[in-house]
Amino acid sequence: MSEGAPSERAEPVRPDTPRHVAIIMDGNGRWAAARGLPRGEGHRRGVEALRRVVRASHELGIAYLTIFSFSSENWSRPASEIGDLFGLLRRFIRNDLASLHRDGVRVRVIGEREGLDADIRNLLAEAEDLTRANTKLTLVVAFNYGSRQEIARAARRLAVEVSEGRRTADSINENSLAQYLDAPDIPDPDLIIRTSGEQRLSNFLMWQAAYSELVFVPIHWPDFDRAALEGAIAEYARRERRFGGLAAKTAS
Ligand code: FPP
């Protein structure tokens, strides 16, 4: 726990509200294609959906919202689309940072920063620095993020400690590895939502998702709104989380 959890934050509106919701914002391209629009327009409308969902998460008392904004694998897209996505991130931070800060949102970033342009790295650092002490909602932006890469980075740091004689190989367990993931102080997601009807994790939070409930929503991300979020939370509330144990009724 490097920075500690914020002490005061909005109470969940309902007791079965997940503390941490993570979202794979999928379907921007298909949304645009269905309307004869360029893919970039789908991403632009995706940012509008993101604003709606940040506001709704805040209102519903969700403490942590993680969004998959750019994956390590998205580099294989055409340069023009990569340019669109980076432009949107720049604009999102420049235009929305002040209002996120006013609303008490704390921004955190996970993913590999090395290799990103210096101006993007600076913007990400500025967003984290400005909002560090905020306590209402933590918005975790997964940018240039891939779960396998994150786990490999953690393994590399442990290997260095072993090679330098600062720990033994025997001392490595799931807790020591988890401490070297990108945001060790953030609790695992309770609910992971993927839009667009695809049903896979695509290298997103695979370590942290061990006991997450997965909800797949058959609408494209630009159409996602508060009602859709509440629908996914209602589905989550119907699930029985056992974490490898027994159902409550059979346990006693
Ligand atoms: C998936 O849709 C979405 C992405 C690859 C990027 C998500 C980005 C945004 C919502 C906007 C950017 C937000 C920030 C904060 C920068 P897709 O393109 O894979 O859609 P498709 O599967 O229909 O082609």
Side-chain angles (χ1 to χ4, degrees):
M1 297 286 200
S2 55
E3 292 181 24
S7 51
E8 55 158 291
R9 59 166 65 95
E11 284 300 307
V13 173
R14 295 168 48 105
D16 44 17
T17 299
R19 187 152 76 121
H20 183 174
V21 175
I23 308 185
I24 302 175
M25 308 181 290
D26 196 13
N28 295 347
R30 278 163 284 168
W31 183 93
R35 290 160 181 79
L37 297 169
R39 292 178 59 82
E41 186 56 26
H43 294 315
R44 266 184 288 285
R45 295 293 288 265
V47 175
E48 288 173 21
L50 173 60
R51 291 194 182 101
R52 288 196 293 273
V53 168
V54 170
R55 203 173 320 119
S57 300
H58 199 180
E59 289 165 2
L60 293 169
I62 291 165
Y64 302 89
L65 174 68
T66 298
I67 50 158
F68 204 3
S69 308
F70 189 84
S71 81
S72 310
E73 288 71 35
N74 286 153
W75 291 106
S76 63
R77 296 194 177 197
S80 60
E81 183 166 347
I82 295 174
D84 278 347
L85 288 167
F86 276 66
L88 285 173
L89 179 75
R90 285 188 181 91
R91 250 168 284 147
F92 179 68
I93 296 180
R94 289 192 188 123
N95 297 339
D96 292 52
L97 184 58
S99 67
L100 290 170
H101 185 44
R102 234 184 354 261
D103 290 343
V105 175
R106 178 175 71 144
V107 177
R108 292 285 299 274
V109 180
I110 58 174
E112 178 62 80
R113 296 202 209 183
E114 222 144 276
L116 294 178
D117 287 350
D119 78 302
I120 290 269
R121 286 210 306 270
N122 292 340
L123 278 173
L124 297 174
E126 180 192 332
E128 288 187 307
D129 289 346
L130 178 72
T131 62
R132 189 172 300 280
N134 290 343
T135 56
K136 288 281 169 11
L137 164 73
T138 297
L139 175 64
V140 183
V141 179
F143 196 81
N144 197 21
Y145 175 84
S147 195
R148 288 179 172 178
Q149 293 84 342
E150 178 188 34
I151 294 168
R153 277 195 298 281
R156 205 177 305 128
R157 289 175 67 181
L158 289 168
V160 168
E161 291 189 351
V162 172
S163 70
E164 292 177 347
R166 289 186 282 127
R167 75 154 67 236
T168 63
D170 279 351
S171 75
I172 296 174
N173 58 26
E174 64 192 76
N175 295 327
S176 41
L177 195 139
Q179 284 216 321
Y180 282 139
L181 296 177
D182 290 351
D185 55 317
I186 307 269
D188 289 345
D190 303 293
L191 166 63
I192 297 181
I193 299 169
R194 182 171 187 148
T195 58
S196 90
E198 306 290 346
Q199 303 195 359
R200 57 182 170 269
L201 279 178
S202 299
N203 205 13
F204 184 51
L205 302 179
M206 294 191 302
W207 176 283
Q208 298 86 339
Y211 289 103
S212 304
E213 294 297 328
L214 310 182
V215 171
F216 301 104
V217 180
I219 62 175
H220 296 318
W221 175 249
D223 289 329
F224 199 82
D225 58 8
R226 179 180 171 136
L229 177 62
E230 288 185 295
I233 291 174
E235 167 69 31
Y236 164 84
R238 285 192 287 275
R239 306 269 177 91
E240 184 180 34
R241 303 187 75 195
R242 296 200 295 277
F243 299 96
L246 297 179
K249 49 185 175 297
T250 43
S252 51

